[in-house]
Amino acid sequence: MMKPDVTAFFDEPTNTVSYVVKDPESSACAIVDSVLDYDAAAGRTSTASADAIIKHVRDHGLTVEWLLETHVHADHLSAAPYLQREVGGKLGIGENIVIVQNTFGKVFNAGTEFQRDGSQFDQLFREQDRFTIGGMNAFVLHTPGHTPACLTYVIEDAAFVGDTLFMPDFGTARCDFPGGSAETLYDSIQKVLSLPDETRLFMCHDYKAPGRDEYKWETTVAEEKAHNVHIAGKSKEEFVEMRSTRDAQLGMPKLIIPSIQVNMRAGKMPPAEDNGVVYLKTPVNAL
Ligand SMILES: [Fe+2]
């Protein structure tokens, strides 16, 4: 099987890993889960993280065919619209984005300008959809649980799991956001772990882990099956109990309010008000 060249870009402020996934036999690539830097205290965006990816793309003469989002992230803003402007590529996400748009369109009281049909994206993927990146074959696994629209992109021997699994010593993603479900996440994880043992798995996040003082984001199906602290040797019931107890103790991600508002619009800001300024809302006592 072909082995894509995978280059990781780690954003320490949000613990997010973005990837450039390149066809070893052509200049074609995809960019997975990019980050637009956001200083919430100042209400200011910057493109330093995205610019590092753009520099990599240009330095290596890459052709960006796809900008892939594993889900509507709650902890960072997507840089997809900025990347699309600079380096091109079609923007894809899971078809259940419409569920997320409906839920959060209501939470943020977005007006009729906010279409809840996924039309802000170029491609809405469904379970088992196939696509190519240059000469590489890719397919989609629908892996909901963390959110209803979560996808895993399987590109040759490499799978980009989004927020389903984390590194074996850290475990799994939370399931307590609207539309999340620990039962569903367990089933989705089994789906990922049914890929061949040697499949390389690339995480969307890493937070280090007890006893580990460096960031890591790559593992394999075999490693996760044998050692994931939330999954290995655990029944579905045990997992759901553990996940629910743990989620009840977690605080909200720092950037959840700006992130969801922007990412439900495919990374675009809400329209500017009549003074030309864009505002993000904070729903009080509603989340
Ligand atoms: Fe997430």
PDB file of all heavy atoms in Angstrom, residues 64-88:
ATOM      1  N   VAL A  64      -2.488  21.904  -3.671  1.00  0.00           N
ATOM      2  CA  VAL A  64      -3.467  21.547  -2.634  1.00  0.00           C
ATOM      3  C   VAL A  64      -4.781  21.164  -3.302  1.00  0.00           C
ATOM      4  O   VAL A  64      -5.438  21.997  -3.921  1.00  0.00           O
ATOM      5  CB  VAL A  64      -3.685  22.712  -1.642  1.00  0.00           C
ATOM      6  CG1 VAL A  64      -4.714  22.324  -0.584  1.00  0.00           C
ATOM      7  CG2 VAL A  64      -2.361  23.112  -1.001  1.00  0.00           C
ATOM      8  N   GLU A  65      -5.150  19.891  -3.211  1.00  0.00           N
ATOM      9  CA  GLU A  65      -6.407  19.444  -3.815  1.00  0.00           C
ATOM     10  C   GLU A  65      -7.571  19.523  -2.831  1.00  0.00           C
ATOM     11  O   GLU A  65      -8.706  19.753  -3.225  1.00  0.00           O
ATOM     12  CB  GLU A  65      -6.254  18.001  -4.331  1.00  0.00           C
ATOM     13  CG  GLU A  65      -5.242  17.923  -5.474  1.00  0.00           C
ATOM     14  CD  GLU A  65      -5.284  16.593  -6.205  1.00  0.00           C
ATOM     15  OE1 GLU A  65      -5.998  15.662  -5.775  1.00  0.00           O
ATOM     16  OE2 GLU A  65      -4.561  16.482  -7.220  1.00  0.00           O
ATOM     17  N   TRP A  66      -7.283  19.295  -1.550  1.00  0.00           N
ATOM     18  CA  TRP A  66      -8.362  19.252  -0.554  1.00  0.00           C
ATOM     19  C   TRP A  66      -7.966  19.968   0.724  1.00  0.00           C
ATOM     20  O   TRP A  66      -6.806  19.901   1.157  1.00  0.00           O
ATOM     21  CB  TRP A  66      -8.679  17.790  -0.163  1.00  0.00           C
ATOM     22  CG  TRP A  66      -9.370  17.006  -1.232  1.00  0.00           C
ATOM     23  CD1 TRP A  66      -8.796  16.135  -2.114  1.00  0.00           C
ATOM     24  CD2 TRP A  66     -10.767  17.012  -1.523  1.00  0.00           C
ATOM     25  NE1 TRP A  66      -9.752  15.599  -2.931  1.00  0.00           N
ATOM     26  CE2 TRP A  66     -10.977  16.118  -2.589  1.00  0.00           C
ATOM     27  CE3 TRP A  66     -11.870  17.688  -0.977  1.00  0.00           C
ATOM     28  CZ2 TRP A  66     -12.243  15.877  -3.130  1.00  0.00           C
ATOM     29  CZ3 TRP A  66     -13.129  17.447  -1.518  1.00  0.00           C
ATOM     30  CH2 TRP A  66     -13.304  16.552  -2.581  1.00  0.00           C
ATOM     31  N   LEU A  67      -8.954  20.626   1.329  1.00  0.00           N
ATOM     32  CA  LEU A  67      -8.844  21.133   2.698  1.00  0.00           C
ATOM     33  C   LEU A  67      -9.871  20.321   3.482  1.00  0.00           C
ATOM     34  O   LEU A  67     -11.079  20.464   3.260  1.00  0.00           O
ATOM     35  CB  LEU A  67      -9.189  22.618   2.740  1.00  0.00           C
ATOM     36  CG  LEU A  67      -8.310  23.497   1.835  1.00  0.00           C
ATOM     37  CD1 LEU A  67      -8.967  24.855   1.598  1.00  0.00           C
ATOM     38  CD2 LEU A  67      -6.930  23.677   2.444  1.00  0.00           C
ATOM     39  N   LEU A  68      -9.405  19.434   4.343  1.00  0.00           N
ATOM     40  CA  LEU A  68     -10.297  18.485   4.999  1.00  0.00           C
ATOM     41  C   LEU A  68     -10.478  18.857   6.467  1.00  0.00           C
ATOM     42  O   LEU A  68      -9.499  19.087   7.180  1.00  0.00           O
ATOM     43  CB  LEU A  68      -9.722  17.063   4.890  1.00  0.00           C
ATOM     44  CG  LEU A  68      -9.484  16.558   3.464  1.00  0.00           C
ATOM     45  CD1 LEU A  68      -8.752  15.214   3.488  1.00  0.00           C
ATOM     46  CD2 LEU A  68     -10.810  16.429   2.702  1.00  0.00           C
ATOM     47  N   GLU A  69     -11.726  18.912   6.896  1.00  0.00           N
ATOM     48  CA  GLU A  69     -12.025  19.145   8.312  1.00  0.00           C
ATOM     49  C   GLU A  69     -12.593  17.845   8.874  1.00  0.00           C
ATOM     50  O   GLU A  69     -13.518  17.267   8.296  1.00  0.00           O
ATOM     51  CB  GLU A  69     -13.075  20.258   8.473  1.00  0.00           C
ATOM     52  CG  GLU A  69     -12.635  21.634   7.977  1.00  0.00           C
ATOM     53  CD  GLU A  69     -11.624  22.331   8.893  1.00  0.00           C
ATOM     54  OE1 GLU A  69     -11.607  22.047  10.107  1.00  0.00           O
ATOM     55  OE2 GLU A  69     -10.843  23.148   8.376  1.00  0.00           O
ATOM     56  N   THR A  70     -12.043  17.377  10.008  1.00  0.00           N
ATOM     57  CA  THR A  70     -12.600  16.160  10.612  1.00  0.00           C
ATOM     58  C   THR A  70     -13.922  16.458  11.315  1.00  0.00           C
ATOM     59  O   THR A  70     -14.751  15.572  11.451  1.00  0.00           O
ATOM     60  CB  THR A  70     -11.617  15.530  11.620  1.00  0.00           C
ATOM     61  OG1 THR A  70     -11.242  16.523  12.583  1.00  0.00           O
ATOM     62  CG2 THR A  70     -10.382  14.986  10.920  1.00  0.00           C
ATOM     63  N   HIS A  71     -14.110  17.703  11.773  1.00  0.00           N
ATOM     64  CA  HIS A  71     -15.372  18.074  12.429  1.00  0.00           C
ATOM     65  C   HIS A  71     -15.393  19.579  12.685  1.00  0.00           C
ATOM     66  O   HIS A  71     -14.435  20.277  12.343  1.00  0.00           O
ATOM     67  CB  HIS A  71     -15.572  17.301  13.739  1.00  0.00           C
ATOM     68  CG  HIS A  71     -14.539  17.570  14.801  1.00  0.00           C
ATOM     69  ND1 HIS A  71     -13.226  17.206  14.688  1.00  0.00           N
ATOM     70  CD2 HIS A  71     -14.645  18.173  16.017  1.00  0.00           C
ATOM     71  CE1 HIS A  71     -12.569  17.548  15.787  1.00  0.00           C
ATOM     72  NE2 HIS A  71     -13.398  18.148  16.599  1.00  0.00           N
ATOM     73  N   VAL A  72     -16.513  20.042  13.263  1.00  0.00           N
ATOM     74  CA  VAL A  72     -16.598  21.439  13.702  1.00  0.00           C
ATOM     75  C   VAL A  72     -15.865  21.527  15.035  1.00  0.00           C
ATOM     76  O   VAL A  72     -16.374  21.096  16.064  1.00  0.00           O
ATOM     77  CB  VAL A  72     -18.073  21.884  13.861  1.00  0.00           C
ATOM     78  CG1 VAL A  72     -18.153  23.261  14.514  1.00  0.00           C
ATOM     79  CG2 VAL A  72     -18.756  21.915  12.503  1.00  0.00           C
ATOM     80  N   HIS A  73     -14.672  22.064  15.000  1.00  0.00           N
ATOM     81  CA  HIS A  73     -13.826  22.101  16.196  1.00  0.00           C
ATOM     82  C   HIS A  73     -14.360  23.110  17.199  1.00  0.00           C
ATOM     83  O   HIS A  73     -14.832  24.173  16.822  1.00  0.00           O
ATOM     84  CB  HIS A  73     -12.399  22.492  15.815  1.00  0.00           C
ATOM     85  CG  HIS A  73     -11.821  21.613  14.755  1.00  0.00           C
ATOM     86  ND1 HIS A  73     -11.263  20.394  15.038  1.00  0.00           N
ATOM     87  CD2 HIS A  73     -11.759  21.753  13.409  1.00  0.00           C
ATOM     88  CE1 HIS A  73     -10.853  19.835  13.907  1.00  0.00           C
ATOM     89  NE2 HIS A  73     -11.144  20.638  12.899  1.00  0.00           N
ATOM     90  N   ALA A  74     -14.200  22.762  18.476  1.00  0.00           N
ATOM     91  CA  ALA A  74     -14.669  23.645  19.553  1.00  0.00           C
ATOM     92  C   ALA A  74     -13.509  24.307  20.280  1.00  0.00           C
ATOM     93  O   ALA A  74     -13.722  25.031  21.235  1.00  0.00           O
ATOM     94  CB  ALA A  74     -15.514  22.853  20.538  1.00  0.00           C
ATOM     95  N   ASP A  75     -12.290  24.039  19.834  1.00  0.00           N
ATOM     96  CA  ASP A  75     -11.155  24.572  20.590  1.00  0.00           C
ATOM     97  C   ASP A  75     -10.220  25.437  19.757  1.00  0.00           C
ATOM     98  O   ASP A  75      -9.238  25.953  20.260  1.00  0.00           O
ATOM     99  CB  ASP A  75     -10.370  23.427  21.232  1.00  0.00           C
ATOM    100  CG  ASP A  75     -10.067  22.344  20.219  1.00  0.00           C
ATOM    101  OD1 ASP A  75     -10.068  22.661  19.006  1.00  0.00           O
ATOM    102  OD2 ASP A  75      -9.842  21.199  20.623  1.00  0.00           O
ATOM    103  N   HIS A  76     -10.496  25.554  18.471  1.00  0.00           N
ATOM    104  CA  HIS A  76      -9.707  26.471  17.640  1.00  0.00           C
ATOM    105  C   HIS A  76     -10.547  26.867  16.435  1.00  0.00           C
ATOM    106  O   HIS A  76     -11.479  26.161  16.055  1.00  0.00           O
ATOM    107  CB  HIS A  76      -8.403  25.822  17.167  1.00  0.00           C
ATOM    108  CG  HIS A  76      -8.596  24.679  16.214  1.00  0.00           C
ATOM    109  ND1 HIS A  76      -8.787  23.395  16.639  1.00  0.00           N
ATOM    110  CD2 HIS A  76      -8.663  24.639  14.863  1.00  0.00           C
ATOM    111  CE1 HIS A  76      -8.946  22.598  15.586  1.00  0.00           C
ATOM    112  NE2 HIS A  76      -8.885  23.325  14.495  1.00  0.00           N
ATOM    113  N   LEU A  77     -10.185  28.023  15.843  1.00  0.00           N
ATOM    114  CA  LEU A  77     -10.851  28.453  14.616  1.00  0.00           C
ATOM    115  C   LEU A  77     -10.158  27.786  13.434  1.00  0.00           C
ATOM    116  O   LEU A  77      -8.938  27.604  13.447  1.00  0.00           O
ATOM    117  CB  LEU A  77     -10.757  29.983  14.469  1.00  0.00           C
ATOM    118  CG  LEU A  77     -11.765  30.830  15.246  1.00  0.00           C
ATOM    119  CD1 LEU A  77     -11.639  30.624  16.746  1.00  0.00           C
ATOM    120  CD2 LEU A  77     -11.584  32.312  14.922  1.00  0.00           C
ATOM    121  N   SER A  78     -10.923  27.434  12.420  1.00  0.00           N
ATOM    122  CA  SER A  78     -10.346  26.849  11.206  1.00  0.00           C
ATOM    123  C   SER A  78      -9.788  27.955  10.311  1.00  0.00           C
ATOM    124  O   SER A  78     -10.405  29.016  10.164  1.00  0.00           O
ATOM    125  CB  SER A  78     -11.422  26.088  10.439  1.00  0.00           C
ATOM    126  OG  SER A  78     -10.958  25.796   9.131  1.00  0.00           O
ATOM    127  N   ALA A  79      -8.648  27.674   9.691  1.00  0.00           N
ATOM    128  CA  ALA A  79      -8.070  28.629   8.739  1.00  0.00           C
ATOM    129  C   ALA A  79      -8.438  28.263   7.300  1.00  0.00           C
ATOM    130  O   ALA A  79      -7.850  28.806   6.353  1.00  0.00           O
ATOM    131  CB  ALA A  79      -6.552  28.672   8.902  1.00  0.00           C
ATOM    132  N   ALA A  80      -9.398  27.363   7.120  1.00  0.00           N
ATOM    133  CA  ALA A  80      -9.685  26.862   5.769  1.00  0.00           C
ATOM    134  C   ALA A  80      -9.971  27.965   4.739  1.00  0.00           C
ATOM    135  O   ALA A  80      -9.419  27.926   3.640  1.00  0.00           O
ATOM    136  CB  ALA A  80     -10.822  25.843   5.815  1.00  0.00           C
ATOM    137  N   PRO A  81     -10.818  28.967   5.062  1.00  0.00           N
ATOM    138  CA  PRO A  81     -11.089  29.992   4.031  1.00  0.00           C
ATOM    139  C   PRO A  81      -9.826  30.764   3.634  1.00  0.00           C
ATOM    140  O   PRO A  81      -9.629  31.055   2.460  1.00  0.00           O
ATOM    141  CB  PRO A  81     -12.100  30.924   4.697  1.00  0.00           C
ATOM    142  CG  PRO A  81     -12.675  30.144   5.825  1.00  0.00           C
ATOM    143  CD  PRO A  81     -11.604  29.188   6.277  1.00  0.00           C
ATOM    144  N   TYR A  82      -8.979  31.058   4.615  1.00  0.00           N
ATOM    145  CA  TYR A  82      -7.713  31.765   4.324  1.00  0.00           C
ATOM    146  C   TYR A  82      -6.808  30.887   3.474  1.00  0.00           C
ATOM    147  O   TYR A  82      -6.250  31.341   2.461  1.00  0.00           O
ATOM    148  CB  TYR A  82      -7.046  32.133   5.654  1.00  0.00           C
ATOM    149  CG  TYR A  82      -5.671  32.742   5.510  1.00  0.00           C
ATOM    150  CD1 TYR A  82      -5.497  33.994   4.930  1.00  0.00           C
ATOM    151  CD2 TYR A  82      -4.539  32.056   5.958  1.00  0.00           C
ATOM    152  CE1 TYR A  82      -4.218  34.555   4.803  1.00  0.00           C
ATOM    153  CE2 TYR A  82      -3.267  32.602   5.841  1.00  0.00           C
ATOM    154  CZ  TYR A  82      -3.114  33.849   5.253  1.00  0.00           C
ATOM    155  OH  TYR A  82      -1.863  34.390   5.132  1.00  0.00           O
ATOM    156  N   LEU A  83      -6.685  29.611   3.832  1.00  0.00           N
ATOM    157  CA  LEU A  83      -5.838  28.702   3.045  1.00  0.00           C
ATOM    158  C   LEU A  83      -6.379  28.557   1.628  1.00  0.00           C
ATOM    159  O   LEU A  83      -5.622  28.528   0.652  1.00  0.00           O
ATOM    160  CB  LEU A  83      -5.773  27.323   3.713  1.00  0.00           C
ATOM    161  CG  LEU A  83      -4.947  27.246   5.000  1.00  0.00           C
ATOM    162  CD1 LEU A  83      -5.087  25.877   5.632  1.00  0.00           C
ATOM    163  CD2 LEU A  83      -3.474  27.558   4.728  1.00  0.00           C
ATOM    164  N   GLN A  84      -7.698  28.454   1.509  1.00  0.00           N
ATOM    165  CA  GLN A  84      -8.305  28.288   0.181  1.00  0.00           C
ATOM    166  C   GLN A  84      -7.983  29.487  -0.708  1.00  0.00           C
ATOM    167  O   GLN A  84      -7.658  29.334  -1.874  1.00  0.00           O
ATOM    168  CB  GLN A  84      -9.820  28.119   0.334  1.00  0.00           C
ATOM    169  CG  GLN A  84     -10.497  27.595  -0.920  1.00  0.00           C
ATOM    170  CD  GLN A  84     -11.924  27.163  -0.652  1.00  0.00           C
ATOM    171  OE1 GLN A  84     -12.672  27.854   0.046  1.00  0.00           O
ATOM    172  NE2 GLN A  84     -12.328  26.024  -1.205  1.00  0.00           N
ATOM    173  N   ARG A  85      -8.047  30.681  -0.122  1.00  0.00           N
ATOM    174  CA  ARG A  85      -7.715  31.890  -0.873  1.00  0.00           C
ATOM    175  C   ARG A  85      -6.258  31.875  -1.323  1.00  0.00           C
ATOM    176  O   ARG A  85      -5.925  32.260  -2.433  1.00  0.00           O
ATOM    177  CB  ARG A  85      -7.952  33.118   0.021  1.00  0.00           C
ATOM    178  CG  ARG A  85      -8.869  34.107  -0.582  1.00  0.00           C
ATOM    179  CD  ARG A  85      -9.253  35.300   0.268  1.00  0.00           C
ATOM    180  NE  ARG A  85      -8.580  35.551   1.510  1.00  0.00           N
ATOM    181  CZ  ARG A  85      -9.138  35.363   2.712  1.00  0.00           C
ATOM    182  NH1 ARG A  85     -10.371  34.883   2.806  1.00  0.00           N
ATOM    183  NH2 ARG A  85      -8.473  35.648   3.813  1.00  0.00           N
ATOM    184  N   GLU A  86      -5.378  31.421  -0.444  1.00  0.00           N
ATOM    185  CA  GLU A  86      -3.942  31.495  -0.720  1.00  0.00           C
ATOM    186  C   GLU A  86      -3.430  30.358  -1.589  1.00  0.00           C
ATOM    187  O   GLU A  86      -2.556  30.550  -2.424  1.00  0.00           O
ATOM    188  CB  GLU A  86      -3.156  31.505   0.603  1.00  0.00           C
ATOM    189  CG  GLU A  86      -3.389  32.748   1.453  1.00  0.00           C
ATOM    190  CD  GLU A  86      -2.843  34.010   0.805  1.00  0.00           C
ATOM    191  OE1 GLU A  86      -1.712  33.978   0.290  1.00  0.00           O
ATOM    192  OE2 GLU A  86      -3.565  35.025   0.818  1.00  0.00           O
ATOM    193  N   VAL A  87      -3.911  29.135  -1.328  1.00  0.00           N
ATOM    194  CA  VAL A  87      -3.317  27.977  -2.022  1.00  0.00           C
ATOM    195  C   VAL A  87      -4.353  27.073  -2.697  1.00  0.00           C
ATOM    196  O   VAL A  87      -3.987  26.057  -3.291  1.00  0.00           O
ATOM    197  CB  VAL A  87      -2.440  27.118  -1.057  1.00  0.00           C
ATOM    198  CG1 VAL A  87      -1.212  27.907  -0.621  1.00  0.00           C
ATOM    199  CG2 VAL A  87      -3.226  26.629   0.157  1.00  0.00           C
ATOM    200  N   GLY A  88      -5.650  27.403  -2.596  1.00  0.00           N
ATOM    201  CA  GLY A  88      -6.676  26.621  -3.281  1.00  0.00           C
ATOM    202  C   GLY A  88      -7.059  25.366  -2.536  1.00  0.00           C
ATOM    203  O   GLY A  88      -6.735  25.188  -1.364  1.00  0.00           O
TER     204      GLY A  88
END
